[in-house]
Amino acid sequence: MSSTLIGLVVLMMACAPSAALAQASADLELPSGEIVARLVGDDAETGRLDVALEALGAKVVHVSSERYSYSGKWSAEGLIDGFARIRNALGSLVSDGWQNEPDDWPPEVVIGFHDERAPVVDTLILEPAAERHLPIDFAGSASPSEVPRFVEVLAGESPEPEAFERVATVRLSNRTVPQRIEIAPRAIRYLKLRVLENYGAPTMGLAEVKVFEAPSAASILDDVERNLARPALGGELVAFTSQDRDNLAIELVDGRADRESGWASAESTVGDAARLPQDLVFGFRGHRVAMVERVEIDPTSGSRYAVGNFDENWPRLVSIGVSQESPSGPFEALGRFELTQQSQAQSIPVGRPARYLRVRVLENHGGARTTIGEIAIIEAISDAGSVLVGEIADGWNAGIATSDDTFSLPDGRGEREPNDEMPESLLLGSQVAGAIEPLDDIDRFALALPGDEARMLRLDAHSGGLWRLAFDLDNAAGATVKRFRPSARSGNRIDLTWQLNPGDYRLSLWEPERITALVWDTSDSMEGRAEALERAVRGYVESLGKHESLLLFPFSDDVESLLDQPSREQPDILEALEGHFRPFGGTHWFDALAEALEALAGHAGQKTIIALTDGQDTGSETPLPELRQRLQASDARLIAIGLGPDLDELGMATGATGHGVLRSLAQLGSGRYVVQPSSADLPALYAAIAEELSGIQHYALAATAVEATGRLAVRQIGEPIPSIVAAPGFTLVLDGSGSMRRQIDGQPMIEIAREVMTELVGDLPDAVEVGLWTFGHRVREGQTGDCTDIEQLVPLGPLNRERLLASLSGVAALGTTPISETLERIGAALPRDGNPQLIVLVTDGEEECRSDLLEVVEALDDDGLQLSLNIVGFALDRPEVLAQLAEAAEAGQGRFVNAAQASDLAAAIEGALAVPFSVHDVAGDVVGAGLIGDSAIDLPVGRYTVRVETRDSPLVVQDIEVVADTTTEIRLDKQAEDIGVAIMERP
């Protein structure tokens, strides 16, 4: 035997001591002359890349025997796909590792590496097929007897048979777990594995082969680009808008782009608003932050079941966004990018760190659906190294907390009980630690807000586990002026900003009622686990808190609802559980979550779903994108439990492993995802969850009167967005009175106004509705009819540029200024449909015919017209006229601005058309307002909600943080039929 041979086999057995494994090695029988293999228990290879991955250029160049399957699930290609098992959209296995034909021995496979390079190898890991998925042997029973027993490892400079020499002969344990082989470092251009013997079955089963380079050697992959989107490298399709059942989203990352494959969106009628945009959100290994160099999009795609040219479905315009927070955003928009209708990969620079990357398809070439062949996200290797190596820390998942959690407050103190009726003082700037004990306890604190004008109060509270407490803030008269209720978005920290008048207040903390939906898997794969699960669920019921009621949803092929209404009666709940843990059927857990969400929607209080499954969904009617939308819109918190190894399987329908799907769903709120390897630990896990949800809630609380300020701006970028250019309809009113003949810098004011408004009309987006009125343009002042010289030149309706421009050119300056009568006539013509109606009046003078301008404006508002009257004064200088017009604009819920010079008029009219936004504290009260595209407004430091009144429905942007001495900018851009939102901060 070669002196380089080390017959070292490592069996990956969680929690097994090395001494026991070494003793097991000593008991092995090896053929005469072979070395006894030593078993060890550490399989950690997170610091090295597996060079035997197809996603990194490895190939199967020869295989002697493959067991036939229609789906090809036993192909040797499965050894290098990165997954022991892959399931299709129907839940059937399409990759289950490599199997040989019965009695075709010895089977062998040859693997080559990237670009025929020769890595210096010191470690191999062989993973036998898991017991549950081994083929049925000829005795008709499944067993681990297909596990390879003796495997010969050979190395060659070419794939020819005579080029190989033996490196090692190793013996694997009769265990269906990954097993590790260490050899002295040597260069291997082609690796051959020859299975000499198994544990007695006609076929052998090997799920995965991993090959690792010696740490001291230069890697063959140092100059190789890494596509972070590939599932084998940890990439996940975290979210997507839709997919066709025959062209799944996972085909975007399968390394293939041709006219018979690729992703396709769900088909719809051309022009249907639901068709575009289509979002594709990618996460990286362990949902870690990666440095992304670029995105490559290859539009080459089509249908495997239809004949024809489908290039019209290829994307034409996309936007790229990155987020370091959540798969639901906020996303920093990097821009819009046009793609050619060429069958090739097209590169888009990124150069940003990202935890999640969103490709949003805004336009295609006119097809009824959108298709893409492949998307690659190329990593930029930074000084911090690659995201593909190193330990994976689930940073957002804090695990299950208990009531033993304590708080370290350097300058804080504990609450003084009893404080139920007599509140203790909470000094501004101080901290206090307390607990709701017993669970019907109410903690009350008195606080005083000094000063002589309204200011912001900031409450910062946190707990060791999920935050469960409600706040009520009462004024000195006992009226509740602010309130907060915990929801799915409440993690373990609450940051509230309230606008308050100075005075004395009482803050109450208490725990509201809670409804919990228990959802559990009873599919046939739960065989052997059901008893432990039943004990866990029953234990949860028996520890039910006095504020908690339950709903019950076991599922397999069907979802059962065991209780008509939420119940806290333990005997009734325990009786309902009887007989509902027997394993049978499939795994329709998307449907189960959807039914639980629907049941919770009709109830008040805190809402939690505790859902357990042990595998990928196998056929729910509820699509994953729909489930994501429903969960995101819900106020229910999800605690998801993934049980056993089957969640490592890649699901083609979801584009991720079961772990990935559960994690991303729980992440939509402030939930939890818990990986539970063994069913034996389920009772303890459910007890810990019950303790977190129903145990004593410890908290820390600080109150601060906000002194620091920051700035907030809302801007539109890119293509104009009709819904935020103006109100649903706006009416322009141009003063045609004789005073508009006055000249500024040698040019009549009426000409200046016509030129400015002509340019404005030319720049309006096509979808805007516009009307045009004028007055004083036909009858000279002092002549009969001068105060009724009012004309509707263009009725309010879809933009007609030609008619508007022709009408503007015909307005002459001649008569008087009947503003009141004009507004009455316009008001009578406008609809009262609940939508805001904007009137923009451009005038150089005061009302000259009547003295009731203010009363006219107020009457229009009282008449049900949702009026917004913006008045643009042109070269006004008399204080009484400025005051009159400003007062009228304020009464009309609008704004007044005076353009003193000709150069100011365009900006003034554009400002009058700008859409306002309002800023709200956590209680919903308005604390600030501004205009889209205008200067940033000053706000106290805190968290706010921003509301923009668009022409269709309000655009609400939540949880916007204003930071001291910083401008927070909300950027809005047109994304097909949607409005994209990005949050930026700058000094």
Side-chain angles (χ1 to χ4, degrees), residues 743-782:
Q743 294 188 354
I744 296 178
D745 296 331
Q747 185 179 12
M749 291 170 58
I750 188 65
E751 290 185 10
I752 297 172
R754 285 199 306 253
E755 289 176 1
V756 168
M757 296 182 77
T758 295
E759 185 174 351
L760 168 73
V761 169
D763 291 340
L764 288 174
D766 294 338
V768 173
E769 294 186 351
V770 186
L772 177 63
W773 290 66
T774 189
F775 56 79
H777 61 304
R778 295 174 299 191
V779 180
R780 290 187 180 277
E781 186 174 8

Side-chain angles (χ1 to χ4, degrees), residues 2 139 384 433 436 593 597 611 925:
S2 168
I436 299 299
L593 282 183
L597 286 169
D925 296 329

Side-chain angles (χ1 to χ4, degrees), residues 166-181:
R166 189 177 66 171
V167 175
T169 300
V170 296
R171 178 171 182 169
L172 303 185
S173 170
N174 190 11
R175 310 284 184 90
T176 54
V177 293
Q179 304 185 37
R180 170 176 168 141
I181 304 161

